[in-house]
Amino acid sequence: MGQGTELGRVRGLGSAKEGAHHWWRQRITAGSNLLLLVWFLISLTRLTGFDYDSVHAWIGSAWVAVPLILLVISVCWHARLGLQVLIEDYQENESRVVALVLIEFFLAVIAVTAIFSILRAALAGA
């Protein structure tokens, strides 16, 4: 490679400049998860009952449906980021790509199913 210094030999082989961005996304989704879960728990404790009609009427409010959808998106995105780091750190060879694709698909199915259920319950009374 040449007779340069150690720094010269590794120049250009440093970070891919993606680690900090990923790290910040994890922290932002963690913060939004915290805020939305606190809202969710407070909102649940204010319900008069937990029967089907009460919960259905509760979800039917736009003030509840929108934060619930945001909670689902935030939790699934946070899970995706965390599992991606876990798989990239501990999986090797082509099994890493397969695991990443499976995690993406699995979390997408969970998110779409949950959002569909919330929208169905919220718009059923409309």
Side-chain angles (χ1 to χ4, degrees):
M1 186 162 190
Q3 300 295 331
T5 64
E6 290 182 33
L7 178 63
R9 276 183 257 143
V10 297
R11 193 176 306 274
L13 300 176
S15 77
K17 311 270 188 285
E18 290 292 323
H21 189 253
H22 195 268
W23 185 86
W24 272 111
R25 282 186 178 178
Q26 282 186 309
R27 287 351 178 238
I28 289 174
T29 55
S32 66
N33 286 347
L34 179 66
L35 292 174
L36 289 166
L37 280 171
V38 167
W39 163 84
F40 181 69
L41 292 174
I42 290 171
S43 185
L44 272 181
T45 57
R46 298 184 68 203
L47 274 176
T48 56
F50 292 106
D51 58 306
Y52 178 81
D53 293 328
S54 297
V55 174
H56 195 269
W58 175 67
I59 293 176
S61 168
W63 294 104
V64 174
V66 171
L68 274 178
I69 291 171
L70 291 175
L71 178 62
V72 167
I73 292 169
S74 180
V75 166
C76 287
W77 193 6
H78 186 73
R80 180 202 165 277
L81 291 170
L83 289 171
Q84 178 184 350
V85 169
L86 188 81
I87 290 168
E88 288 174 348
D89 286 348
Y90 294 107
Q91 286 283 12
E92 296 175 7
N93 58 27
E94 65 273 355
S95 68
R96 177 184 348 181
V97 176
V98 173
L100 287 171
V101 170
L102 287 175
I103 290 299
E104 291 271 343
F105 181 73
F106 177 71
L107 289 170
V109 167
I110 288 175
V112 168
T113 303
I115 291 170
F116 174 77
S117 300
I118 293 167
L119 287 175
R120 185 171 178 204
L123 300 175

